[in-house]
Amino acid sequence: MSKVLIHATVSLDGFMADASGGVEWMNGFPVDPADEAVVSRVVGEIGAVVGGANKTQTIEDGEIPYGGILGVPVFLMTHTPHESIERDGIIYEFVVDDVVEAVSAAKQAAGDKWVSVLGGSISRQCLEKGLVDEIVLDVVPILLGSGISLFTGLSRQMRLERIDTSGFASEVHLRYRVLA
């Protein structure tokens, strides 16, 4: 059965993007082959993605999940209906205002592989509804001070169980099971 996980690269102070939505700060850190192996293992298990659509319901170059390397179906949350889009062999399905439906469709598409949930708002909605099995974070050594938070805004505390922790050149990799 498919596992649902939040997978994100974050700053040490918990931001997934700077205040303008940029992620360029993630680049330029030393990388060890062991860091790449940890990330590759997770990415290799992903069979579908759930995220948020942009305001124009288009698929722009900088918005393609995982840079398009996965080649898996993507389910995008939106407030208005939109036809599916195919780009570079990837199908982008738009789901209107029902994150449970989006995750269910993604799980079906993923089969035995995992569903990766991307973005702060979508991740928080999935956590609130009890849809997330694990949280996988790749933490880079930078303090942004402000930006777009991955978890700020949850309505309740959530307990986690650490499954794995590793660190190599500059990143620290954290993996937690969501308990409640």
Side-chain angles (χ1 to χ4, degrees):
M1 180 153 150
S2 187
K3 183 185 306 186
V4 177
L5 64 128
I6 295 169
H7 182 222
T9 298
V10 296
S11 64
L12 187 58
D13 49 355
F15 296 106
M16 56 181 215
D18 63 27
S20 64
V23 294
E24 295 78 23
W25 54 267
M26 292 181 188
N27 301 316
F29 294 99
V31 177
D32 185 277
D35 286 312
E36 293 173 341
V38 169
V39 174
S40 291
R41 273 194 303 274
V42 172
V43 169
E45 290 294 330
I46 296 171
V49 174
V50 174
N54 66 22
K55 289 180 172 69
T56 58
Q57 295 178 323
T58 56
I59 311 302
E60 304 299 325
D61 285 336
E63 300 172 334
I64 298 172
Y66 297 94
I69 64 169
L70 298 179
V72 300
V74 178
F75 298 84
L76 298 172
M77 297 301 305
T78 184
H79 296 297
T80 57
H82 194 284
E83 292 296 318
S84 300
I85 294 175
E86 186 274 328
R87 179 171 173 184
D88 299 327
I90 300 170
I91 303 296
Y92 297 84
E93 298 282 346
F94 293 86
V95 180
V96 179
D97 294 329
D98 190 343
V99 73
V100 174
E101 178 186 329
V103 169
S104 178
K107 286 175 81 170
Q108 185 173 3
D112 290 337
K113 290 199 155 211
W114 301 347
V115 172
S116 177
V117 176
L118 302 178
S121 174
I122 304 302
S123 294
R124 291 187 298 273
Q125 289 176 54
C126 288
L127 279 167
E128 295 275 355
K129 294 189 180 295
L131 302 173
V132 177
D133 299 301
E134 293 183 12
I135 298 172
V136 179
L137 301 175
D138 302 309
V139 183
V140 295
I142 189 170
L143 297 169
L144 295 179
S146 67
I148 299 172
S149 172
L150 185 55
F151 299 116
T152 299
L154 286 171
S155 67
R156 61 185 172 90
Q157 291 182 357
M158 305 225 166
R159 299 201 54 87
L160 308 172
E161 174 186 26
R162 185 179 58 81
I163 297 171
D164 190 36
T165 304
S166 60
F168 303 100
S170 62
E171 294 180 26
V172 174
H173 310 281
L174 306 170
R175 187 167 174 183
Y176 294 95
R177 180 176 295 115
V178 177
L179 299 177

